[in-house]
Amino acid sequence: MARDTAAKEQELQNTITFKVIRNDQNHDNLKYLLDLKNIFARQLPKMPKEYIVKLVFDRNHESMIILKNGLKVVGGICFREFKQERFA
């Protein structure tokens, strides 16, 4: 089974879900952001950890996380949206 097909199948079965979060001081969101920061740090070992923390927890940034079984962060992306420019 192709990788994209497997992910789509998991999404249809509600095994994985996607959620957009930000640092709004919500306890659950802060935990998710910390988990996402740890994933980024593992996958990007040469990137300074302080820089990752700065981006992930910056209140101007949002993160789309992938949750497995609604609990565990297994991936995601961090981005900053510029609404006026319609750019992220």
Side-chain angles (χ1 to χ4, degrees), residues 9-20:
E9 188 66 31
Q10 287 182 357
E11 185 179 9
L12 290 173
Q13 295 173 354
N14 290 324
T15 304
I16 61 170
T17 54
F18 297 84
K19 184 175 182 177
V20 177

Side-chain angles (χ1 to χ4, degrees), residues 16-19 36 64-68 72-76:
I16 61 170
T17 54
F18 297 84
K19 184 175 182 177
L36 185 62
M64 179 182 288
I65 58 172
I66 304 169
L67 290 170
K68 188 155 191 165
K72 183 179 179 188
V73 178
V74 294

Side-chain angles (χ1 to χ4, degrees), residues 26-81:
N26 174 286
H27 178 71
D28 290 334
N29 288 349
L30 289 172
K31 181 193 170 307
Y32 290 146
L33 289 172
L34 182 62
D35 292 345
L36 185 62
K37 186 265 311 174
N38 290 334
I39 290 172
F40 290 160
R42 268 194 314 270
Q43 295 298 317
L44 303 166
K46 293 184 179 181
M47 185 174 284
K49 306 242 183 317
E50 297 80 15
Y51 181 71
I52 296 171
V53 169
K54 179 182 172 187
L55 292 180
V56 171
F57 287 96
D58 185 325
R59 291 189 177 192
N60 292 315
H61 287 79
E62 295 182 70
S63 296
M64 179 182 288
I65 58 172
I66 304 169
L67 290 170
K68 188 155 191 165
N69 298 320
L71 300 171
K72 183 179 179 188
V73 178
V74 294
I77 185 168
C78 182
F79 60 93
R80 182 171 179 178
E81 184 179 17

